[in-house]
Amino acid sequence: MSIKNLLPGRLGFGTAPLGNMFRAIPDEEAAATVQAAWDHGIRYFDTAPFYGAGLSEIRLGEVLSGKPRDAYVLSTKVGRVILDEAEDPAARDLGEKGGLFEHGRPNKMVNDYTADATLRSVEDSLKRLRTDRLDIVWVHDVAQDFYGDEWLARYETARTGAFRVLDRLRDEGVIKGWGLGVNRVEPLEVTLDLDEPRPDAFLLAGRYTLLDHERALQRLLPAAAAQNVDIVVGGPYSSGILAGGTHFEYQQAPAEIVAKVERIKELAARHGVGIKAAALQFSLAHPATAAVIPGATRPSRVAEDVAALNETVPAAFWSALREEGLIAGNAPLPA
């Protein structure tokens, strides 16, 4: 199934921040932010058990369970099973993403990409989300940033486990589509080379942004477009640095990234362009991109995202970025 046909618009809502990423968010603020997304017409919501050990799913489910189920598209992820027993969230080994959800629930998370774990994960997510079905399921984080040298072994488990289960669930009509949800291009390139099973789309976070897109342009995006595997772009603000924050790649941004963002901001100011508009519209300009899903924890941020998507960005701004070497020469630009 074409994800472009399934998704109700080009702007979705990413709910990693609702899992208390970086900070503890009051329940009321989380609920108000989801409601704001709904009120602004957003109808695609993405979550994962990983986000706060189930917290994001629970918070999203509390709001969406009051909406007509046919009115929105919902995706979550598999690869981690959440247990009832507790652990210290700050002590988890999250590879390069250490401490990311230390303010989340203390429930123990187990990494498991087998067939049985995939089915259990789906069942658990349905309960936390208070719904009877999922539209899209992503296989989460089966990549180097979490598993280092072990990533290919994890990937092989997922290929013979999660991939085949999700392929079957799609063929049976239980879900509408599946793919991988990762922060690296390599697992997606490997998957496109497989004869089977065949994913419908990928969720790629942080790798097709204003700040980081050259690697994805080399092979992944042309191959995905050729095989009609659509890309949902996660993290279009590169963990916040492109939206006024200080994080890049989920950590404090290094000096060279801060400097690059300042140069982009200077050009944006000169052309009267909002930095969020530049970020979202750049990510959406590639023909392989189906949607962007920025995250938010405040209702006002959702309004900013909607405005950014609709802002008119002059062609001269994109030309200036290209002339300054701030975006790749082969990156498709917004029309």
Side-chain angles (χ1 to χ4, degrees), residues 5 26 149 156-157 163 179 194 236 264 299 317:
N5 294 338
D149 291 344
E156 188 58 18
T157 302
F163 291 15
L194 298 177
I264 294 171
F317 169 69

Side-chain angles (χ1 to χ4, degrees), residues 32-53:
T33 304
V34 177
Q35 185 60 48
W38 186 272
D39 292 344
H40 278 94
I42 292 173
R43 293 294 182 271
Y44 170 41
F45 298 86
D46 176 72
T47 185
F50 179 56
Y51 302 156

